[in-house]
Structures are given as structure tokens and as C-alpha cells.
Amino acid sequence: MGDSFCPECKRATEVVFDHSAGDTVCSECGLVLEAHSIDETSEWRTFANKSGDNDPVRVGGPSNPLLADGGLSTVISRPNGGSGDYLSSSLGRWQNRGSNPDRSLIQAFKAIATMSDRLGLVATIKDRANEIYKKVEDQKPLRGRNQDAILAACLYIACRQEDKPRTVKEICSVANGATKKEIGRAKEYIVKQLEVEMGQSMEMGTIHAGDFLRRFCSHLGMSNQAVKAAHEAVQKSEELDIRRSPISIAAAIIYMITQLSEDKKLLKDVSLATGVAEGTIRNSYKDLYPHAARLIPSWYAKEEDLKNLCSP
């Protein structure tokens, strides 16, 4: 609000600025004194915590507390995406000479972000993986170790801690050549280092068969009813003493459910969708088969259908 001369009222009156329309309106007669005006002031929005620097200007990228400079340093890029003039220019040479202590961290964070995007993981998991990598690197240098395996292991641990676990095979598929064995060793090394730092055992989160079920069912294109029945069967399986891995149990239950539906799936297809070997699924199926009547919901399959269920 402010005062301005109104030609209709023939005097200075109080005016109101309509931000949505960009109009300046006389508060007494309603005359639009100025239309479609442009607001040249800052938006004055900030999402940072209150600190000594209260300037809420929205410019630049978000700060990264894991980097020494907050991730706000200047990087001289190649002109127009080219590479010829960059290295020969004086600015390019000075950029290369400058020692950036966070260069290895930035590269590692980019690699973690790439793997997270390929797996469709949320930002909280990516941030947790960055934190884990930063802690391990600060405690002990990682030279001489397989960097791809270390990054993949950080992502695997982050998924477990955020209750969104992924199988080692899924992590391995985006790990730039790191094998399951290398990722497993890297995971043990990271857990050991973090436990030394914390002085206590590290909480990794418990894996349940239901954590993988919906994703596996989606890969197979199962119907909503079949997915719901598989979910109920997985919940009931936790009451049984089946000494198999949660991934194997999920795969075996999916195979069992599909055998009772019109759209039957081959064991080979279930193996490809879940990443579990056919022999492992078959053995888990043998353990679950005696409990089929208890596991399969009555609304999904009748007792006669269960009798026709193929024996292992």
C-alpha cells in the first residue's frame, strides 16, 4: 500500500497493488492507475536455516554441506561444449592448476547420483549414500580399493538403512563393472570402518520379502489381484520357519501365485524378473509347498485349485 495521485478523485489517495494481475488500484474509487506492471524486486524466498547470512536471494545452486566450500565454487566450463579452446586458454590452464580438495568427492557424488537415477531411487537414499562415502573417506583414504565397488556398496547400505532395499544383483547392474563379490567385500569394509568410528554395531535394517515383492510383480506384469494375493502370502510366510532368504521366498511365492492364475509364468521368467536362480526358486518352492493352503488367500484360490497346484 502507498499514496499516489488519482485523476478520478483529483487528489492523492491510498492505492493497493494487485500482485496477481500487476495492477495498481485506487482504494477509494477503484480506478486502475497502472496495469500489467512488472515487479522488479527479488522474490525473497529462502529454504535455508537461519544463520548470520540472512540474504534470501535465490541465485546459484543448492549448497552441499558435505563439501568444504559448500559446493558453491566456480568451475570454468568448455566454451560451447567444445574441448579445443578450453585447454589452450589461460582460464582453462588456471582451472587445471587450481587444487580442489573436493574434486574426488564431487566425482564420487556424481557417480552415486548416476547409479541412483538408473535404479529410480529417491533423493534421500542418494544423500544417505553420499554421507556414508564422505564418512569412510574422512576416516581412511580409499586409494588402492575398487572405487566402483565402494560407491555401489555405499548405495546398497543406504537403501537398507532407508528401508528401500535393493538386491546385490540390482546394484551390480549399475556398478560400472564391479562384481557381486567385490561389492560384498566393499560393504564389509565400509561397515567395519563405520562401526569403529561410532564405537558400536551399525544398524542396517531388516530385509523382508515384501520389500521386493511389488517391484518383482511389476517386472512380470502381474494383475492387481495376483499382486494382492502374493502380498498376503508373503505376510503369512513370516509366521513360518522357512530358512530361506527373503528374496528367494518372494520369488517362490510369486511363482506359486502365478501357477494358480490364468496368466501362468514360466520358472525361467520368474528367475529373470527376480534375479534369483531357477534352482533356488525351486528349492524355496519345495519348502513352501506343504503350507500352500495356509499361505494362499481363500478368495484367490479354492481348495480344489490348490490340489491341482503342481508339486515340486
Side-chain angles (χ1 to χ4, degrees), residues 87-100:
L87 295 177
S88 60
S89 66
S90 58
L91 289 177
R93 287 196 298 271
W94 280 109
Q95 177 74 38
N96 289 335
R97 289 176 187 172
S99 58
N100 185 356

Side-chain angles (χ1 to χ4, degrees), residues 10 25 54 67 72 91 115 122 127 150 158 160 166 174 192 209 211 213 215 220 236 239 260 267-268 285 290-291:
K10 308 291 186 185
V25 184
N54 291 322
L67 301 177
L72 302 177
L91 289 177
M115 290 190 291
V122 295
D127 294 339
I150 291 290
R160 290 277 301 269
R166 292 294 187 273
V174 297
K192 182 179 179 182
D211 297 332
L213 190 71
R215 192 164 66 255
L220 286 166
K236 292 177 182 177
E239 302 171 2
L260 293 168
L267 184 61
K268 180 182 178 182
Y285 182 82
H291 309 283

Side-chain angles (χ1 to χ4, degrees), residues 122-142:
V122 295
T124 52
I125 295 178
K126 181 191 69 174
D127 294 339
R128 176 61 66 90
N130 289 343
E131 291 176 13
I132 293 171
Y133 181 83
K134 170 71 172 170
K135 286 180 181 179
V136 176
E137 194 195 49
D138 287 347
Q139 190 174 3
K140 195 170 184 180
L142 298 173

